[in-house]
Amino acid sequence: MDGDRPHNPSRASTKRDAVRRASTHSVSGYTLSQHDSTRSRRRYSGSRPSSVDYDAPASYRNLHDVDEIADRLDPELPPTPEEVRRYQTRVQRRRSSASRSSYDIPDSYVNVPELEDIAPIPSRDERRLRPSPSLEEARELERQFSIHQGIQRRSGEAKREPQEPQKEGVQIEVSRLATEIYTISYLILFSILGTLARLGLQAITFYVGAPVSFSSVWPNFAGSLVLGFLAEDRMLFRFEWGTPNYELELIRAKGNSHDEETGENSGSSSERAAVNLAAAKKAHMATKKTIPLYIGLATGFCGSFTSFSSFIRDIFLALSNDLVAPDASLITTPRNGGYSFMALLGVTITTVSLSLTGLMLGAQLALALEPMTPSLPFNFTRKFLDRFAVLLAWGSWIGAILLSVLPPDRFSHPGAAETWRGRATFALVFAPLGCLGRFYASLYLNGYLSSFPLGTFSVNMFGTAILGMAWDLAHVPVGGVISCQVFQGIEDGFCGCLTTVSTWVAELTALRRRHAYIYGSTSIVVALACMVAIMGGLRWSDGFSALKCLH
């Protein structure tokens, strides 16, 4: 290429296309001028890309099947008729495959729904697919904001603005200590309610002829559904600390859309209303995360309703051929390792897919039911419900302890086996401990690594290991009925509330795609490895003994 003349890719592309057309019309068309143009293209290939679309390296010239004309070991010699025939065949094949399909399909095929332009993933670009910030981005912003606030406080640069006097009854200041007490009380109360809901749903879904033989999947689905509803809901807590900001912005957005349809509104004001509505939604979510009642519902109830340790336990039982169906005996039919591996995949895929589906379904229900969802009055929540929850939570926990010490069935059925403690009351005693442990582990560990929630991962792994040890101790021929019931209470109460599936799947949907795959697969693989090491040692050595208590 001359130094005083800029290279024109379109001219080179036109020249190349002319050479190709001339070479395909005639067998004897491979003339000296075409051969010279080929050598000229090869001289230019070291200083410009090999094509308009691809920036191929110059070393690609060594590949004998790249150049369509000079595809020969020795381009200086004239081509033989066999080489020309092979070249024309290859060019025709490439042209037919690139231009159109070789099938003559009827026009009515366009009506087949599976053949339409269906995109399960709307966009490969995660930023377009996820309009809101990812979990990593949100935590990074929060971390930077906390650092900035700390620097301002230490340097004394933060200036206090004069606050306007608030009207009586509009805003109620809650101290840090009172907020902490309310939060802990809600967590205790809803951990007990979540445990009861999980045990009850497992009982009613474990029946003869059930389509799914392991009943732990349904609490994980239901808890994820409730969490999806709470995360997307904008009406239960629409009175954001006394001011319904989201509702006001929603009314403005609807008014602007109506004016835009009638032609009375400009595009800029409509865009501004949409931005304000999105900001109101974000502010509403940020406010919800500071309300003790919402923390109790999301972290306490949904986290205790679902159980990651029970999910991993069922995976191991499916792998070891010990997952008993409702209509089968305690002894399963022997099978080979291939069937056990398929059972492992069945439990894993069913639980993960249903939990993710429940989260999305709950969010869609929140949007569909938004016009009819009630709202909690501000004064009722602050003045009555928070204070009443303290008495109800601690009273329920003390009541569960008393019911474990003096079970009711001891007096109603004299001489009969006491089953309440193993089925419910011991689990209710240990449930708040697991829920509080998960809450504080998330507070102090999840902020360390934004792309991998260490808090949720740690409690899920620790709770799975504890459940495996409690399972082994309950299935050895030592101890009595009371110890067996205590171990069952630890499994259902402490481990069930310490580990969570709803938070886990919510984090999977919030993380970036690559980080979500790493986090999800690592959680399952590490937890299953712990369960194999703990429960597998007893299962493949002495075997599981029958329980001495009913469950």
Side-chain angles (χ1 to χ4, degrees), residues 19-41:
V19 173
R20 291 178 180 175
R21 288 194 299 268
S23 62
T24 55
H25 287 310
S26 162
V27 175
S28 61
Y30 193 94
T31 62
L32 182 60
S33 60
Q34 292 176 346
H35 187 68
D36 292 339
S37 66
T38 302
R39 298 179 61 183
S40 175
R41 273 206 330 276

Side-chain angles (χ1 to χ4, degrees), residues 123-380:
S123 174
R124 295 298 182 102
D125 186 2
E126 289 191 64
R127 294 185 179 274
R128 296 181 59 187
L129 182 62
R130 188 200 313 276
S132 59
S134 63
L135 185 60
E136 299 93 327
E137 295 171 345
R139 286 179 176 169
E140 180 63 23
L141 292 175
E142 293 176 359
R143 187 184 68 84
Q144 294 178 359
F145 177 76
S146 300
I147 294 175
H148 179 67
Q149 290 293 102
I151 293 175
Q152 284 188 339
R153 285 194 297 268
R154 287 192 298 269
S155 61
E157 295 178 357
K159 298 180 180 179
R160 295 184 178 180
E161 299 180 357
Q163 297 181 356
E164 298 180 359
Q166 299 290 338
K167 296 181 180 181
E168 184 178 359
V170 175
Q171 183 171 358
I172 301 176
E173 294 292 340
V174 182
S175 64
R176 176 66 60 87
L177 178 61
T179 303
E180 190 77 11
I181 293 175
Y182 293 155
T183 302
I184 294 176
S185 300
Y186 277 122
L187 290 174
I188 293 174
L189 175 62
F190 285 111
S191 66
I192 294 175
L193 296 178
T195 303
L196 287 174
R198 171 161 42 85
L199 297 177
L201 188 57
Q202 284 180 347
I204 63 177
T205 54
F206 192 76
Y207 55 90
V208 176
V212 180
S213 60
F214 56 101
S215 59
S216 64
V217 64
W218 299 117
N220 292 330
F221 167 78
S224 301
L225 186 145
V226 176
L227 182 61
F229 181 91
L230 293 174
E232 190 62 35
D233 173 70
R234 301 291 185 271
M235 301 304 294
L236 283 175
F237 303 96
R238 67 189 179 101
F239 298 107
E240 300 172 358
W241 300 98
T243 305
N245 296 328
Y246 172 72
E247 184 182 19
L248 294 178
E249 294 296 340
L250 183 62
I251 293 175
R252 292 193 186 100
K254 291 181 178 179
N256 289 328
S257 62
H258 179 267
D259 295 341
E260 188 175 6
E261 292 177 358
T262 57
E264 299 177 0
N265 191 13
S266 61
S268 60
S269 60
S270 177
E271 294 177 357
R272 185 168 58 253
V275 172
N276 293 336
L277 180 60
K281 288 183 178 181
K282 186 176 180 180
H284 181 81
M285 185 60 192
T287 303
K288 282 199 305 184
K289 293 168 62 177
T290 63
I291 301 176
L293 177 57
Y294 178 80
I295 297 174
L297 287 170
T299 305
F301 182 78
C302 297
S304 302
F305 199 177
T306 61
S307 175
F308 186 85
S309 56
S310 299
F311 162 48
I312 301 299
R313 178 203 61 197
D314 288 345
I315 292 180
F316 174 81
L317 294 179
L319 178 64
S320 62
N321 195 19
D322 292 302
L323 191 62
V324 180
D327 52 352
S329 61
L330 297 179
I331 301 176
T332 57
T333 304
R335 66 189 180 198
N336 59 38
Y339 291 140
S340 296
F341 179 74
M342 294 303 298
L344 180 149
L345 291 180
V347 175
T348 304
I349 295 174
T350 302
T351 303
V352 174
S353 59
L354 281 179
S355 299
L356 289 170
T357 302
L359 186 72
M360 301 301 176
L361 180 60
Q364 295 297 326
L365 286 177
L367 294 176
L369 299 179
E370 187 173 272
M372 60 187 71
T373 302
S375 301
L376 296 175
F378 176 77
N379 291 328
F380 171 77

